Amino acid sequence: MAALTGLERVSGTAARPAVWRWAVLLVAAAYFLIPLGASLWYTVYTPATGVSLSAYGELLSAEGFLRSLALSLGLAAATIVLVLLLALPAMLAVRLFTPRLRPVMEVVCTLPLVVPPITFVAGIGTSLRTGADVLAPTPFWATLIAMQDPAFPVVLVLAYVVLVLPFVYRSLDAGLRTMDVRTLVEAARNLGASWPYVLFRVIVPNLRSALASASFLTLALVLGEYTVASLLGYEPFAVWIVTVSGSKGQLSVAVSILSLFLIWLLLLAVSSAFGKSKERK
């Protein structure tokens, strides 16, 4: 009897954490799914026509939809490539040769978090206007104007690199902490590997999860960024959604839901790809 009582107590205490976990999971699911479901219902139902998918049918024919989406995806791809090319070699150099500069680099990379976006974009606008006046007599004036081309504004890529730098730094730093970088680099160099080979064939394969995390944080920020692009006068995807929402509420919400599902599908695709690569290894 005493043994049975003890087993009952153990099973009871083990069941309580499970119940709490399910309760927290249900609350979190309700917190995220109820607003999403309400938004989805808003896009498919109107009192006049009832349930209809006309809002989603209008997306492909909506003026500026494909153009703004292609622009945001292009800006995201360029930002991902540029920020990784800048951050990863710099972080490796600091870890291998000047470890005392790691606190300084951490402060510099996380500094954009404390600068308000409105202040940041005001500084960019002032710099562009002043630079156009100063560089007008020089050949660099044409380069400055080309960077502001509405078809593909390079100035937005540079601004987004600064904005995503704290998140990219944290992702890469977490990945580098899980591996012995110095030992891997020294072993590869002793075997005759060049520095590009070490970077792309030794370091990068061990940082796939961190690189994927940094890439999708960058993608999410670029697709949702509004302040910098709007104040500089460009119309990527987020600015187009706000512009459309003034006249077509259902269409703007439908676009937001589709963009959310697009990001989820990309995350699932990358997760499955990394899972398959690990299984092959």
Side-chain angles (χ1 to χ4, degrees), residues 19-194:
V19 172
W20 279 108
R21 283 196 294 267
W22 279 105
V24 172
L25 180 61
L26 290 175
V27 171
Y31 180 80
F32 289 105
L33 294 179
I34 289 177
L36 184 61
S39 300
L40 181 61
W41 180 252
Y42 172 74
T43 60
V44 300
Y45 175 79
T46 57
T49 61
V51 178
S52 174
L53 298 177
S54 59
Y56 294 93
E58 294 179 10
L59 286 179
L60 295 178
S61 61
E63 183 181 358
F65 168 68
L66 294 178
R67 175 182 53 78
S68 62
L69 179 59
L71 176 59
S72 290
L73 292 177
L75 292 173
T79 304
I80 290 171
V81 172
L82 183 58
V83 73
L84 291 180
L85 287 178
L86 291 175
L88 183 56
M91 295 177 67
L92 288 175
V94 169
R95 283 180 174 271
L96 293 174
F97 305 114
T98 55
R100 293 183 179 180
L101 292 180
R102 285 180 60 184
V104 178
M105 186 175 186
E106 182 176 2
V107 172
V108 172
C109 290
T110 56
L111 192 61
L113 292 176
V114 301
V115 179
I118 189 68
T119 305
F120 179 61
V121 71
I124 294 177
T126 303
S127 300
L128 291 176
R129 290 191 297 269
T130 304
D133 296 335
V134 173
L135 298 177
T138 69
F140 296 102
W141 180 83
T143 302
L144 184 64
I145 298 302
M147 291 175 57
Q148 305 176 55
D149 185 5
F152 190 82
V154 179
V155 64
L156 280 185
V157 175
L158 300 178
Y160 291 156
V161 167
V162 176
L163 292 177
V164 303
L165 188 59
F167 309 104
V168 172
Y169 174 81
R170 288 302 181 188
S171 298
L172 296 181
D173 184 65
L176 290 172
R177 289 178 184 273
T178 61
M179 53 187 291
D180 191 349
V181 179
R182 186 176 296 276
T183 301
L184 289 174
V185 172
E186 290 179 354
R189 292 290 291 169
N190 289 335
L191 292 173
S194 61

Side-chain angles (χ1 to χ4, degrees), residues 224 226 230 235-248 252 256:
Y226 172 80
S230 177
E235 193 179 40
F237 195 50
V239 178
W240 181 83
I241 292 176
V242 175
T243 303
V244 171
S245 64
S247 57
K248 299 180 180 180
S252 65
S256 301

Side-chain angles (χ1 to χ4, degrees), residues 169-227:
Y169 174 81
R170 288 302 181 188
S171 298
L172 296 181
D173 184 65
L176 290 172
R177 289 178 184 273
T178 61
M179 53 187 291
D180 191 349
V181 179
R182 186 176 296 276
T183 301
L184 289 174
V185 172
E186 290 179 354
R189 292 290 291 169
N190 289 335
L191 292 173
S194 61
W195 280 110
Y197 186 93
V198 171
L199 179 61
F200 293 105
R201 299 298 298 274
V202 178
I203 301 300
V204 170
N206 289 282
L207 287 177
R208 289 181 179 178
S209 298
L211 291 172
S213 176
S215 300
F216 279 101
L217 286 173
T218 304
L219 176 64
L221 187 143
V222 173
L223 288 179
E225 200 285 321
Y226 172 80
T227 304

Side-chain angles (χ1 to χ4, degrees), residues 222-272:
V222 173
L223 288 179
E225 200 285 321
Y226 172 80
T227 304
V228 175
S230 177
L231 292 180
L232 289 180
Y234 301 107
E235 193 179 40
F237 195 50
V239 178
W240 181 83
I241 292 176
V242 175
T243 303
V244 171
S245 64
S247 57
K248 299 180 180 180
Q250 276 190 322
L251 183 61
S252 65
V253 177
V255 172
S256 301
I257 292 176
L258 284 181
S259 64
L260 180 61
F261 279 113
L262 175 63
I263 295 175
W264 283 355
L265 289 176
L266 291 173
L267 287 172
L268 290 176
V270 170
S271 299
S272 62

